Amino acid sequence: MMLARLLIAGAGIMSLANSVAIPFLAIFLHRELGLTPTTIGFIIGSSVFFSIFAGFVGGSLSDALGRTRLLLLALSGVIASFVAFYYSNGVLAVFFINAALALSSSTFNPVAKALLSDLLPAEDRLRWFSYQYMAVNVGFAVGPLLGAYAGLSGGRVAFLVGAVVYAVYLCLFGLTLLFLPPVTPAVPEQEPSTGLRSHLEGLRDSFRVVVRDFRLLCFIAAGLLLEAVHSKISALLAQHLSAGFADGTKILGYVLTTNAVTVVVVQLFVSRYARKRDPVRSIVIGGVLLVAGMVGFAFAGPGWQFVAAMVIFTVGETFIIPAEFAVIDRIAPPDRRGSYFGAQTFAQLGGFIGPFTGGLILAHYGGTAMFLGVSVFAVISVLIYLLVGRNLPGLQMGKAAPRARTAVGDGAT
């Protein structure tokens, strides 16, 4: 349990370190390195593809190598990337450093979730996923304010501060593994395999298992559609508000602050409500609230209406994100849990699809049509969850999740 608590605390610590530097990466690249907006957009935008690759490969490798050693390696990679940013000069250097950062951080996230699942009994996992989500949002709510107050925003020193924070967490994590009594996971880890060939065979087997699990593929597609709605809502709002409102920048600031505060305030209440119900129902409730929030944005006029719509939208988000992890956890075989959480990172493509689709609609039909059009993604996602999730063991209200499974489709081993 101590290790589970450390993973939750680490989620907040790492998001704090990230939010001091990463949200201001574009400012750093322009101010310190003089890069053009096109180049900056390419460097930052390309990270999503490295993240998706690392999420699946890292999750799959954790099934073979063991969770903790891969987490230590990923933390070391993030620290090295932050330090390299401090010393960076030139476009190629920045591109590869940003890729290394994406690979390292996106390896850590699904593996940490898989380890959290390993450590906890099935009935407690949704609650702890909610704690993890809240910790991340607390870090992101506080980090930019601390960075701005300390004068770190957009400067090189911010990356050194981030590296130091990560290094402290790496030491805590390593010492915990070294000195605490061994923790017996709820589902024991596999014995780590050795040799390059065995690792490659493990990746191949994981890929076969994933692509043959129809339910997983449906849930990834549904998650991608939800991601298209909520992950880059700030980009949609920024385009709409900057184009049609004289005080659009001020409204955007209020709305984004509302998002962060609402997550922190309502997460525990939502968690208590959601853990008594099946995760599919939580996602359906969240999806409906997302649609309601998008309709609110579409027809909002005064700033308070955007704020009110964001409250509704954010409550929906707090229902969705922990429940998505719980769904994946419940369909994943214990020996492929890392692969399943890693495969879930493919949903991050929604972070590209949403703003791209929204931009096209905005350019041709205006902001109201943009919000209504993008909200259709959430409607389709809810329908997928209702159709695919309603008959799954462990996903109905009042039924316990299966504690262990050994086979999925034809590709299980």
Side-chain angles (χ1 to χ4, degrees):
M1 192 62 72
M2 176 63 183
L3 189 55
R5 291 192 180 99
L6 187 60
L7 288 171
I8 300 301
I13 292 170
M14 291 184 294
S15 70
L16 178 68
N18 288 338
S19 61
V20 169
I22 300 305
F24 306 100
L25 180 58
I27 298 174
F28 165 77
L29 295 177
H30 176 70
R31 182 197 301 170
E32 298 286 336
L33 301 182
L35 301 185
T36 65
T38 301
T39 304
I40 292 172
F42 174 77
I43 290 173
I44 295 177
S46 64
S47 64
V48 68
F49 299 103
F50 293 106
S51 296
I52 291 170
F53 172 79
F56 177 69
V57 173
S60 300
L61 283 176
S62 76
D63 292 330
L65 296 173
R67 316 276 191 229
T68 54
R69 65 174 66 184
L70 207 59
L71 291 176
L72 293 171
L73 182 62
L75 286 172
S76 300
V78 172
I79 294 169
S81 300
F82 270 56
V83 173
F85 263 127
Y86 178 79
Y87 291 105
S88 63
N89 286 292
V91 176
L92 279 179
V94 167
F95 174 81
F96 285 113
I97 293 168
N98 192 56
L101 178 61
L103 290 170
S104 301
S105 60
S106 296
T107 295
F108 186 93
N109 292 329
V111 178
K113 288 180 175 62
L115 178 58
L116 196 61
S117 291
D118 291 343
L119 295 170
L120 299 169
E123 61 271 15
D124 290 339
R125 291 172 192 163
L126 178 59
R127 175 163 55 94
W128 283 75
F129 286 144
S130 298
Y131 294 158
Q132 188 180 47
Y133 175 57
M134 185 177 69
V136 168
N137 279 280
V138 169
F140 273 109
V142 174
L145 297 176
L146 290 178
Y149 180 77
L152 300 175
S153 303
R156 291 179 182 269
V157 178
F159 294 104
L160 280 186
V161 172
V164 170
V165 173
Y166 264 96
V168 170
Y169 180 62
L170 174 61
C171 292
L172 287 174
F173 193 73
L175 290 172
T176 300
L177 296 176
L178 185 62
F179 290 110
L180 280 184
V183 179
T184 303
V187 178
E189 291 188 21
Q190 287 183 307
E191 194 69 28
S193 58
T194 58
L196 177 61
R197 183 175 179 179
S198 63
H199 297 333
L200 292 177
E201 289 176 350
L203 282 174
R204 181 196 62 195
D205 293 342
S206 295
F207 180 77
R208 286 178 177 174
V209 170
V210 165
V211 299
R212 292 177 180 178
D213 191 331
F214 175 74
R215 301 163 305 170
L216 174 64
L217 297 178
C218 288
F219 289 141
I220 290 174
L224 185 152
L225 293 172
L226 287 176
E227 191 92 0
V229 179
H230 70 75
S231 70
K232 300 295 183 181
I233 186 61
S234 60
L236 301 181
L237 285 167
Q239 293 182 80
H240 177 61
L241 291 170
S242 63
F245 294 80
D247 55 349
T249 302
K250 182 186 291 186
I251 294 175
L252 181 63
Y254 291 145
V255 170
L256 295 183
T257 300
T258 299
N259 176 256
V261 172
T262 303
V263 169
V264 175
V265 171
V266 307
Q267 181 61 60
L268 287 178
F269 298 101
V270 170
S271 173
R272 289 173 185 171
Y273 175 88
R275 73 171 181 248
K276 300 175 183 177
R277 291 159 177 81
D278 63 274
V280 170
R281 181 176 299 184
S282 294
I283 292 172
V284 169
I285 293 171
V288 171
L289 291 173
L290 284 189
V291 173
M294 294 293 278
V295 172
F297 292 140
F299 296 103
W304 69 266
Q305 293 180 356
F306 282 98
V307 170
M310 179 54 83
V311 172
I312 297 171
F313 185 93
T314 305
V315 174
E317 192 179 14
T318 59
F319 270 100
I320 289 169
I321 293 178
E324 285 182 323
F325 296 136
V327 168
I328 300 300
D329 171 70
R330 292 189 184 187
I331 68 171
D335 62 334
R336 298 292 181 189
R337 189 170 282 138
S339 304
Y340 273 54
F341 279 111
Q344 191 186 25
T345 61
F346 281 95
Q348 292 180 18
L349 282 173
F352 168 77
I353 292 172
F356 178 73
T357 304
L360 290 177
I361 298 174
L362 178 65
H364 292 89
Y365 302 105
T368 298
M370 175 184 70
F371 288 114
L372 295 177
V374 173
S375 70
V376 173
F377 291 143
V379 175
I380 298 172
S381 178
V382 165
L383 293 175
I384 293 174
Y385 273 108
L386 286 173
L387 291 172
V388 179
R390 61 183 179 180
N391 295 319
L392 285 180
L395 294 182
Q396 295 84 32
M397 183 175 176
K399 295 185 180 180
R403 293 300 299 258
R405 295 180 53 210
T406 57
V408 172
D410 298 327
T413 57

